[in-house]
Amino acid sequence: MPHLEIAHFKLYVSLLQSLSLIITVAFLLVQTPVTRVLFNIEKSFRKQIYLGLFFGIVSIAGTYLGEPVGGAIANIRDIGAISGGLFGGPLVGLIAGLIGGIHRYTLGGFTALPCMLATITNGFAAGLLYKYRNEEIFNPSRGMLFALAAESYHMLLVIVLAKPYSKALQLVNIISGPMILINAVGVGLFLLVIKASYKEKEFLSALTAEKVLEITEKTLPVLSKGLTYETAGITAKIILKNTNLDAVGITDTQKILAFCGAGEDHHKPGDKFHTAATKEAVKKGEIVMMYTKDQIGCSEKKCPLESGIVVPMKSSDGEVFGVLKLYRTKPYSMSLLDMEIAKGLADILSTQIQLNRIEKEKKLRMVSQLRALQARINPHFLFNALNTIRYMVRKNPEEGYDLLFKLSVILRETLERSDNFVKLSEEIDFVKAYLAIEKARFGERLETVFNIDEDVKEIDIPSLILQPIVENSVKHGFSPSVKKLKIEVSAYARFGVLYLGVSDTGKGIKKEKIAEILNFNEHSRSVGIRNVCERLENLYGDKFQFKITSKPGKGTKVTIGIPYEGARKWLLERLSLTTKSRQEKK
């Protein structure tokens, strides 16, 4: 008995030493960037294969770290198979079990077959238990309980399948206690190491998100002006001030746009790149980590920068248009948090700059559309207006003068206006001037009514948004059967939306014709309405309304709905919301 107790004690000590080594190596491995990728929660088939191989190697190591006992091996092999199954699922557990089990079988011995079968079935059974976890990582204490049962099953298989029976029974009497306990503790510790690594990653992600959001909030109004020497300089200073970095740089694909902190005496805006790492990041479009001064490759020998990270900034189509560079003055001092912050900031800065480009393109399109509307002053309208004014000047000089003044208002608004927005009251005055000339031409046949709520007159609206609609009513409203035309212009606000309406009592439009009008394409004849709708879409996205209702012989009504707060504020909010949305996805 004393001899058996000593054997037990030595076996416990030996297996504990092996367990300490495996857990230490596992802890170090999950800290490396390559292996950390395996231990995130995303499960792909390819990753499961890699996980199976990883835990299979752990199983093989558990065999080699075992202790020879009576022609067999007291080992911690099942730690790899069981931990793999509990963490990665059936496929991972099965692969790890097969690798560890088959390897054990090749070593021979009278327990080779039962040990192989036990490792394979334990790994697969652990994988089946994976779906019953109540959190992302299988609970370590529950893992230990399962391992206790699995190792007991292992011992039972040895007794049943190993021959001779007496030798197997004697072996189990010696190794069962140490193997069951140490393997169970090992599984619990292995899961704990993985869980700790995952929690650390969550913590780093939370810190990164908080820091990136803080910097983003401060850089958003700056980069809304685009990426220039001035905006890059302000952005670099904001990043440096809100982190514990030693230097920050921003470049385009050819030269330095901004650099502040250590080394700014020779990394100057306007200069070409000084570092080989920056050139590599721009050329390959990949993140470059620099742990030493040699890896940075600065052309200035006295440069104080010793480590850093360069992250490309890319457009939506993947083209590199610049890089963000973060530096420290000590070698090997860039942390995992620094890397996450660098990637997060580069992505957000790229998004902000891209949004600025998009908004600039939209503005150019809107200006182009406004010019197209301004150019649509109908030559026939001018000809008819001038003839009407000439007639009025002879008949009633005072009224003729008034019409001439109204025509000058129309020409000034259409030829000189460069602002996309006007007060509603200004747009109404413009429409009234237009209709006054048309009324002088058609006389009593044309009646106009304006129902404009007082509290909406100072709201900003896109210029020239009503006149094309009113012009269509005049142009298409009259017919042989319509001798008198009434046009009503209305404006009111409801639930945060400004509604503008133009209705007439003209000949009306058939349903198929309405569909044709609203089906905008390059062959569309409704250029005025198309430009109005495209401008509204550029300004308000999907938040505007444009509706045509009509009954042939009864008349037509066009209703426009736009956000009450005005386009400028709306665009700023859209930019901010889009930026935050991109951050949350990352």
Side-chain angles (χ1 to χ4, degrees):
M1 287 295 289
H3 178 72
L4 184 59
E5 289 177 0
I6 293 172
H8 275 154
F9 179 75
K10 288 184 177 179
L11 200 52
Y12 273 114
V13 172
S14 177
L15 293 181
L16 276 172
Q17 288 175 337
S18 300
L19 175 62
S20 299
L21 179 60
I22 277 192
I23 295 301
T24 301
V25 171
F27 179 78
L28 294 174
L29 281 175
V30 297
Q31 303 304 312
T32 62
V34 175
T35 315
R36 286 178 78 94
V37 176
L38 288 175
F39 291 98
N40 62 31
I41 300 305
E42 177 246 330
K43 295 290 186 290
S44 64
F45 179 76
R46 184 178 182 182
K47 184 170 290 185
Q48 286 185 306
I49 298 296
Y50 289 146
L51 277 171
L53 294 173
F54 174 83
F55 283 106
I57 293 171
V58 172
S59 289
I60 292 175
T63 300
Y64 279 124
L65 290 171
E67 184 74 16
V69 178
I73 304 173
N75 61 81
I76 52 176
R77 176 176 57 254
D78 285 358
I79 289 176
I82 295 173
S83 298
L86 293 178
F87 175 74
L91 181 59
V92 175
L94 181 61
I95 294 173
L98 284 169
I99 292 173
I102 293 172
H103 170 263
R104 170 62 187 90
Y105 186 78
T106 62
L107 297 179
F110 77 106
T111 62
L113 179 61
C115 287
M116 177 186 72
L117 294 176
T119 302
I120 294 172
T121 53
N122 283 344
F124 185 66
L128 295 177
L129 196 62
Y130 163 83
K131 65 179 181 179
Y132 294 106
R133 71 198 190 285
N134 54 10
E135 51 186 327
E136 295 292 354
I137 307 297
F138 201 93
N139 185 278
S141 59
R142 291 178 64 199
M144 287 179 64
L145 291 175
F146 173 79
L148 286 171
E151 283 307 292
S152 298
Y153 163 75
H154 187 155
M155 295 300 105
L156 182 62
L157 272 185
V158 171
I159 293 174
V160 173
L161 298 179
K163 303 299 179 183
Y165 171 77
S166 58
K167 189 176 180 181
L169 188 61
Q170 182 182 5
L171 175 68
V172 169
N173 190 34
I174 297 172
I175 69 173
S176 59
M179 277 191 62
I180 291 173
L181 181 60
I182 302 302
N183 274 280
V185 171
V187 169
L189 289 175
F190 213 110
L191 291 175
L192 197 61
V193 167
I194 296 173
K195 189 171 184 176
S197 174
Y198 180 68
K199 291 298 181 184
E200 180 190 4
K201 185 177 180 182
E202 279 188 329
F203 178 69
L204 286 175
S205 296
L207 280 179
T208 301
E210 183 179 356
K211 183 62 66 177
V212 169
L213 281 171
E214 180 185 347
I215 295 173
T216 298
E217 186 177 1
K218 295 176 181 178
T219 58
L220 179 61
V222 177
L223 290 174
S224 64
K225 301 175 184 177
L227 186 62
T228 64
Y229 284 109
E230 181 184 2
T231 59
I234 296 172
T235 300
K237 288 177 182 177
I238 290 173
I239 295 173
L240 187 65
K241 183 179 179 181
N242 288 274
T243 59
N244 63 348
L245 296 162
D246 295 316
V248 175
I250 297 175
T251 78
D252 58 18
T253 57
Q254 299 292 332
K255 58 189 178 298
I256 300 169
L257 296 179
F259 198 98
C260 55
E264 63 181 10
D265 58 322
H266 60 280
H267 293 278
K268 295 181 179 179
D271 290 354
K272 291 187 176 181
F273 306 145
H274 286 268
T275 64
T278 303
K279 297 174 184 177
E280 182 183 351
V282 170
K283 183 179 180 180
K284 296 183 177 179
E286 298 175 354
I287 296 174
V288 178
M289 282 294 297
M290 304 161 290
Y291 299 101
T292 65
K293 190 171 185 176
D294 289 340
Q295 289 178 339
I296 292 174
C298 183
S299 57
E300 177 63 43
K301 292 183 178 180
K302 294 182 179 180
C303 181
L305 306 177
E306 297 276 355
S307 60
I309 180 171
V310 182
V311 186
M313 295 187 290
K314 299 180 180 181
S315 62
S316 56
D317 58 4
E319 182 181 354
V320 177
F321 61 82
V323 298
L324 172 66
K325 309 190 290 181
L326 309 182
Y327 292 104
R328 292 193 183 279
T329 54
K330 293 181 180 180
Y332 299 98
S333 58
M334 295 302 292
S335 66
L336 184 63
L337 180 61
D338 292 330
M339 182 189 295
E340 293 298 324
I341 287 177
K343 291 190 289 187
L345 282 175
D347 187 63
I348 293 302
L349 295 181
S350 299
T351 301
Q352 291 177 349
I353 293 165
Q354 282 293 102
L355 286 172
N356 170 259
R357 289 182 178 179
I358 291 170
E359 294 304 327
K360 277 187 175 180
E361 290 173 2
K362 284 187 176 182
K363 186 175 181 180
L364 290 173
R365 285 201 300 270
M366 287 187 288
V367 170
S368 175
Q369 290 158 359
L370 179 59
R371 292 287 179 260
L373 284 171
Q374 291 171 329
R376 284 191 70 253
I377 292 298
N378 196 318
H380 293 291
F381 165 73
L382 286 176
F383 178 77
N384 291 330
L386 290 171
N387 275 338
T388 301
I389 292 170
R390 185 177 63 177
Y391 171 76
M392 281 296 175
V393 166
R394 292 177 179 175
K395 182 181 178 182
N396 188 337
E398 187 173 339
E399 187 175 349
Y401 174 79
D402 183 58
L403 289 178
L404 191 60
F405 174 76
K406 286 180 170 58
L407 180 61
S408 70
V409 170
I410 293 172
L411 292 175
R412 183 169 60 252
E413 288 295 311
T414 54
L415 298 178
E416 296 181 1
R417 177 165 294 281
S418 59
D419 194 351
N420 270 298
F421 303 95
V422 295
K423 300 295 182 186
L424 175 60
S425 57
E426 295 178 51
E427 182 75 2
I428 294 300
D429 288 342
F430 177 73
V431 172
K432 284 181 177 179
Y434 170 79
L435 285 175
I437 293 176
E438 293 289 31
K439 187 170 177 59
R441 175 185 167 201
F442 289 102
E444 296 300 321
R445 295 178 61 199
L446 178 62
E447 179 184 354
T448 61
V449 178
F450 289 85
N451 290 315
I452 313 298
D453 286 0
E454 286 295 326
D455 57 350
V456 300
K457 287 185 176 180
E458 295 304 305
I459 292 178
D460 286 338
I461 68 166
S463 59
L464 285 179
I465 211 72
L466 284 175
Q467 189 274 337
I469 311 299
V470 172
E471 182 181 342
N472 276 347
S473 290
V474 175
K475 183 178 179 181
H476 302 291
F478 285 109
S479 72
S481 61
V482 179
K483 303 301 181 183
K484 186 173 183 179
L485 180 67
K486 178 181 178 180
I487 296 178
E488 180 178 350
V489 180
S490 60
Y492 60 92
R494 296 288 187 275
F495 305 109
V497 177
L498 174 65
Y499 291 98
L500 305 173
V502 177
S503 60
D504 64 61
T505 58
K507 64 180 181 180
I509 312 173
K510 294 179 180 180
K511 286 185 178 180
E512 53 269 25
K513 183 64 177 178
I514 293 176
E516 182 183 330
I517 291 172
L518 296 176
N519 182 25
F520 304 125
N521 55 58
E522 60 182 5
H523 303 298
S524 174
R525 298 176 64 184
S526 306
V527 179
I529 291 180
R530 181 181 68 191
N531 279 346
V532 167
C533 287
E534 287 179 351
R535 289 178 67 213
L536 290 173
E537 184 177 10
N538 284 333
L539 286 167
Y540 303 102
D542 59 356
K543 301 298 181 182
F544 81 96
Q545 303 170 35
F546 190 92
K547 185 178 181 181
I548 300 177
T549 55
S550 183
K551 290 183 179 180
K554 298 286 186 178
T556 302
K557 182 176 183 179
V558 175
T559 304
I560 299 172
I562 57 177
Y564 183 81
E565 63 268 29
R568 291 186 179 95
K569 182 179 177 183
W570 181 253
L571 280 173
L572 183 60
E573 288 180 355
R574 283 177 60 204
L575 179 61
S576 178
L577 287 173
T578 306
T579 303
K580 288 183 179 180
S581 175
R582 293 285 184 93
Q583 287 179 260
E584 289 169 0
K585 288 180 179 178
K586 292 292 175 183

